[in-house]
Amino acid sequence: MRIAMFATCLGDTMFPDAPRATALLLTRLGHEVVFPPGQTCCGQMHVNTGYQPDALPLVENYAENFGDGSIDAIVAPSGSCVGSVRHQHEIVADRYGTPALCGRVETVKAKTYELSELLVDVLGVTDVGANFPHRVTYHPTCHSLRMLGVGDKPLQLLRAVRDIDLVELPAADACCGFGGTFAIKNAETSTAMLADKIRNVADTGAEFCCASDSSCLMHIGGGMSRLQMGTRTIHLAEILAATESMEVTA
Amino acid sequence: MSGVSLGLPAVPPRAPEGVGFLRGTEKFPAAARHELANAQLRRNIGKATHTIRAKRLHVTGELPDWEDLRDAGAAIKTDVMSRLPELLEQLEAAVVARGGTVHWAADANEANAIVTDLVRATGSDEVIKVKSMATQEIELNEHLEANGIHAYETDLAELIVQLGHDKPSHILVPAIHRNRSEIREIFLREMADVDPDLDDNPKHLAAAARKFLRHKFMTVPVAISGANFGVAETGTLGVVESEGNGRMCLTMPQTLITVMGIEKVIPTYRDLEVFLQLLPRSSTGERMNPYTSMWTGVTPGDGPQDFHLVLLDNGRTAALADGVGRQALNCIRCSACLNVCPVYERTGGHAYGSTYPGPIGAVLTPQLAGMDGKDDPNSTLPFASSLCGACYDACPVKIDIPSLLVELRHQKVQKSGFGAEAAAMKAASVAMSSAKLFTLAQKAAGLGRVVAGKKGKISKLPPPLSGWTDARDIPAPPAQTFRQWWDSTEGRAAIAAARKDGDR
Ligand code: SF4
């Protein structure tokens, strides 16, 4: 398959390990990974904060860069960005775009997947041949869980990883309190939510807290760093890309 | 849109300011700060919501057609909103045909005046009340009191709130923020004739309330209720409850006055089968609520002989006029969204400043009462959510609350913008509209490595970003962006190695 990588603005700039691992993993599985260089950002931050007209150029840019007919699928290592492409681009295009844009948005949206969806639903694999000899707990991010409905696909993939010690996270489906600008506009409430999430992570005794959204990991990791906890955050793609020959260096 | 005026007002009138309980005095973040500091409140609410949550999941999980029921509920409500005027007229005709009287109240002021006049006409200076959100919304009790009429709440939790001179903090469990020792103190302080040795055993507390209320049921000649449903086809009104106190009010007095939000109308009697399954399972986690009372007009010699229905708008047609936002009117007030909301769980209901707290309140309140003023506390409500989506998952009539929140944020910003934030968003939009500018911005972000210094993390930023760094670090940006790596010799080599690895 010819798979286009959407690195996402945050992944590209701040957390390149996640898109890198995604590209390496899919290549190892025998797919051709391409990176449309004109890509930038999905516009989620603008839409979620109330700035829909400002999201229009970003929606257009996404449709343009991923509209290439030779692309079979588009993958992003971020549930929330995929959610934005799937549920918000249409709203913005309908309101502020041309009918032509609406058409392109439809086409591109149908091909955009979150990593675990692509692997399990489209490529039909749950065992990607990874090896990760560490204690890991998994936080299912809200947008993957509810907006995309990925269900237990990430866990299916993790369970198949060699030598992993996967421990259940108490109250796993509770929001970590990130919510984009919510973490700033309602900082105290967000922090109260984060505190509970971190306590639950600590209770598992895991070395790694794994999720498939860099933004949530940035939030949880930022809180754990402040508390100087030993637990590290890791993106799902990084665990799945880890093989015996390629240990993760995060 | 064309600029030609068609002579219709752009937005129908909202609920009036300064009357009723649809606007708090503080913006949400400030109000939340006080509540977050109250550890007892957080414990009480956390415990209660977790218990109800588990019960709800259990009883909704046991119905094989639960998802179909939700779809049916959503479909009926959507149909109602699309032909509301017609259904209301049908309801009015049916109520009148059965001997009732129908009154139309455009807003809280009108509704309060109508009810006060009706009570006055009976000669009574006391009324007993069935728990009702609509009368809370318009602050009817306070208005009656000002006119020399005392209203007694008969729902136990509502009574606790009333006696505690407090505001409800939950749709269904208004005293959710109180524990039993607090309740005991309130009873001892406020109830005449209460046993001074009353302890905080829930049974004993309930018995004290029962004794207090029983006397009112037997003597007060006027009752005021809300309605969960009003059936257009038959003119039947319905209230569901757990304690039976409502039923006492609905049957014992001579005069019954029902204040119903116009969105509560449903087309046919048969539609009740959907909602009477959805509501109790979603709200209290029960298969069926203990008491379902229905009444149609007046029945000579049985029950109240004088029945009035007050149909309340108070901003509902304004909400209806919003093609996206009108979905909020589908709400059946089950409170499931409150019980699963991580924000509500931390802040409680008072932070929302409205009769309608939690996720649904965050969309309904600004629609009913507006959020246009620059410093309007209501304008902060649509932002009081992390958009985690738990409310949408739980809602029995599938109201897409996260999308409504996003829509209201859009409307707020369109109307008044947010100064510095708007400028930052505009700048980000420009920077991210092309890869060329985006790469430049990435270079600038790389400067964060300088700020981060040797620690490799950023722990202090100026406001408003200090909201983040007060509790969270930001890692230093990496030396290489993904696209730099992808274009590098190292990146190409790594991809080639992975390809080889896969071929083995
Ligand atoms: S919005 Fe839905 S879940 Fe919330 S109270 Fe209304 S009906 Fe219940």
Side-chain angles (χ1 to χ4, degrees):
Chain A
M1 258 193 160
R2 193 172 152 84
I3 301 169
M5 269 285 303
F6 174 39
T8 79
C9 63
L10 190 70
D12 186 0
T13 313
M14 290 292 292
F15 300 96
D17 289 342
R20 189 183 300 151
T22 308
L24 292 173
L25 166 68
L26 293 171
T27 306
R28 194 182 82 218
L29 292 175
H31 302 282
E32 184 198 353
V33 178
V34 295
F35 180 80
Q39 64 176 278
T40 58
C41 163
C42 67
Q44 179 188 191
M45 176 181 75
H46 288 94
V47 175
N48 282 354
T49 316
Y51 295 83
Q52 288 186 20
D54 293 321
L56 180 67
L58 311 185
V59 171
E60 282 171 337
N61 190 61
Y62 185 88
E64 200 173 299
N65 278 284
F66 292 97
D68 183 343
S70 72
I71 292 171
D72 299 310
I74 303 154
V75 69
S78 160
S80 65
C81 301
V82 172
S84 165
V85 171
R86 229 178 257 174
H87 298 290
Q88 299 185 333
H89 281 201
E90 200 177 340
I91 297 172
V92 174
D94 278 354
R95 249 186 196 150
Y96 300 105
T98 59
L101 177 66
C102 294
R104 259 180 295 149
V105 160
E106 268 310 298
T107 318
V108 175
K109 148 183 151 176
K111 286 197 273 192
T112 304
Y113 300 95
E114 182 269 339
L115 180 62
S116 73
E117 291 178 325
L118 179 77
L119 290 168
V120 177
D121 291 347
V122 183
L123 305 179
V125 282
T126 45
D127 184 351
V128 296
N131 179 288
F132 195 72
H134 298 281
R135 173 173 270 219
V136 174
T137 194
Y138 180 75
H139 165 62
T141 61
C142 299
H143 288 180
S144 294
L145 193 68
R146 306 203 181 87
M147 215 186 204
L148 302 180
V150 301
D152 73 338
K153 282 164 210 157
L155 285 169
Q156 290 178 35
L157 290 158
L158 285 172
R159 278 188 212 113
V161 172
R162 276 1 133 235
D163 292 336
I164 195 169
D165 177 12
L166 193 60
V167 282
E168 199 181 319
L169 179 64
D173 61 359
C175 175
C176 73
F178 173 57
T181 44
F182 172 77
I184 293 167
K185 288 186 191 236
N186 284 282
E188 281 121 344
T189 308
S190 164
T191 304
M193 291 158 70
L194 178 63
D196 289 342
K197 180 59 69 182
I198 290 181
R199 190 165 15 79
N200 285 325
V201 171
D203 284 350
T204 65
E207 294 164 69
F208 289 94
C209 172
C210 170
S212 35
D213 217 312
S214 296
S215 52
C216 307
L217 289 173
M218 173 175 75
H219 190 234
I220 299 170
M224 297 199 304
S225 157
R226 179 60 55 89
L227 297 174
Q228 311 209 320
M229 266 169 71
T231 316
R232 283 185 289 166
T233 49
I234 191 166
H235 194 283
L236 174 69
E238 294 178 71
I239 294 183
L240 299 182
T243 58
E244 266 167 291
S245 55
M246 276 195 228
E247 244 284 0
V248 98
T249 50
Chain B
M1 262 207 327
S2 88
V4 182
S5 165
L6 299 176
L8 291 169
V11 181
R14 309 265 182 195
E17 264 192 65
V19 50
F21 187 34
L22 286 176
R23 182 174 274 105
T25 51
E26 277 182 310
K27 293 184 174 181
F28 185 85
R33 187 172 307 136
H34 305 314
E35 307 293 314
L36 281 163
N38 185 342
Q40 180 67 53
L41 171 125
R42 269 171 77 182
R43 256 196 306 280
N44 294 351
I45 293 187
K47 189 159 177 270
T49 55
H50 278 88
T51 312
I52 308 178
R53 241 185 249 184
K55 273 176 77 184
R56 182 185 66 87
L57 280 181
H58 176 71
V59 298
T60 56
E62 66 188 13
L63 280 192
D65 62 347
W66 181 249
E67 288 307 315
D68 294 339
L69 276 169
R70 287 177 78 200
D71 284 334
I76 295 168
K77 281 295 193 174
T78 307
D79 170 49
V80 166
M81 297 317 151
S82 70
R83 53 190 184 101
L84 194 58
E86 160 199 335
L87 288 170
L88 288 169
E89 281 174 17
Q90 198 189 349
L91 175 70
E92 177 183 35
V95 170
V96 171
R98 295 293 302 267
T101 310
V102 175
H103 311 259
W104 297 79
D107 61 24
N109 286 321
E110 278 188 31
N112 285 336
I114 292 168
V115 176
T116 308
D117 286 348
L118 287 171
V119 178
R120 272 214 191 102
T122 68
S124 172
D125 61 358
E126 288 184 328
V127 299
I128 46 177
K129 288 200 59 218
V130 185
K131 177 175 160 19
S132 142
M133 304 298 292
T135 61
Q136 240 172 48
E137 172 188 323
I138 59 176
E139 280 186 321
L140 177 64
N141 290 7
E142 289 76 358
H143 183 86
L144 289 174
E145 199 70 57
N147 283 278
I149 299 165
H150 189 76
Y152 295 97
E153 291 292 346
T154 65
D155 175 84
L156 180 54
E158 207 71 64
L159 179 68
I160 293 165
V161 169
Q162 190 186 32
L163 293 178
H165 308 287
D166 196 0
K167 298 247 191 220
S169 61
H170 189 278
I171 293 180
L172 192 85
V173 205
I176 194 169
H177 56 298
R178 296 289 195 184
N179 64 19
R180 46 187 157 115
S181 73
E182 292 175 291
I183 294 168
R184 171 180 167 269
E185 278 163 32
I186 293 173
F187 280 11
L188 284 177
R189 200 173 56 228
E190 301 284 335
M191 273 180 189
D193 308 331
V194 76
D195 174 3
D197 291 332
L198 179 69
D199 59 19
D200 68 1
N201 179 325
K203 263 203 190 126
H204 300 159
L205 291 172
R210 161 185 282 237
K211 195 171 140 232
F212 174 81
L213 289 172
R214 187 58 51 137
H215 178 68
K216 306 292 170 204
F217 293 139
M218 305 305 285
T219 55
V220 179
V222 186
I224 296 174
S225 85
N228 289 99
F229 310 102
V231 181
E233 176 187 54
T234 57
T236 304
L237 281 302
V239 159
V240 299
E241 46 147 353
S242 303
E243 295 168 357
N245 291 341
R247 173 165 295 180
M248 297 290 278
C249 301
L250 296 166
T251 48
M252 303 283 290
Q254 181 66 19
T255 301
L256 172 60
I257 304 164
T258 299
V259 181
M260 181 184 107
I262 52 174
E263 83 284 14
K264 295 287 177 108
V265 67
I266 55 172
T268 70
Y269 201 83
R270 177 116 203 228
D271 296 324
L272 284 169
E273 73 178 309
V274 173
F275 296 109
L276 291 181
Q277 292 185 77
L278 288 175
L279 183 53
R281 284 183 200 252
S282 303
S283 58
T284 46
E286 294 166 301
R287 297 186 176 89
M288 190 72 213
N289 49 288
Y291 296 88
T292 302
S293 304
M294 315 248 211
W295 65 101
T296 312
V298 171
T299 307
D302 183 15
Q305 296 300 295
D306 191 15
F307 170 61
H308 297 268
L309 174 63
V310 181
L311 292 170
L312 175 73
D313 185 324
N314 209 35
R316 284 160 176 77
T317 25
L320 191 70
D322 182 335
V324 181
R326 66 159 58 165
Q327 230 193 107
L329 294 176
N330 292 4
C331 175
I332 58 172
R333 311 278 189 263
C334 72
S335 72
C337 59
L338 276 62
N339 297 331
V340 297
C341 176
V343 173
Y344 177 88
E345 184 184 337
R346 275 37 178 229
T347 65
H350 291 162
Y352 296 80
S354 162
T355 298
Y356 306 107
I360 186 60
V363 294
L364 190 59
T365 304
Q367 290 200 93
L368 294 179
M371 53 163 181
D372 301 336
K374 198 171 151 286
D375 290 314
D376 188 345
N378 279 356
S379 69
T380 59
L381 291 178
F383 299 89
S385 164
S386 66
L387 303 179
C388 80
C391 49
Y392 187 16
D393 264 15
C395 178
V397 287
K398 292 197 172 171
I399 300 174
D400 184 354
I401 298 176
S403 294
L404 296 187
L405 288 163
V406 168
E407 170 65 19
L408 291 183
R409 292 175 185 189
H410 164 72
Q411 290 179 9
K412 177 63 198 163
V413 170
Q414 283 290 99
K415 254 218 159 106
S416 45
F418 280 117
E421 180 187 276
M425 288 287 169
K426 174 68 78 201
S429 168
V430 172
M432 299 201 277
S433 61
S434 87
K436 213 169 120 208
L437 292 173
F438 181 59
T439 326
L440 280 176
Q442 284 185 320
K443 288 225 176 74
L447 291 178
R449 293 165 60 73
V450 179
V451 183
K454 272 212 269 318
K455 296 186 298 236
K457 61 188 180 193
I458 300 166
S459 303
K460 204 164 164 56
L461 286 171
L465 298 175
S466 53
W468 179 282
T469 49
D470 281 347
R472 295 151 284 217
D473 292 333
I474 300 174
Q480 200 181 32
T481 63
F482 172 75
R483 67 180 69 213
Q484 284 169 341
W485 175 82
W486 180 260
D487 281 335
S488 69
T489 329
E490 180 205 345
R492 275 189 287 270
I495 291 288
R499 192 171 301 125
K500 234 193 247 149
D501 201 24
D503 289 341
R504 259 191 280 133

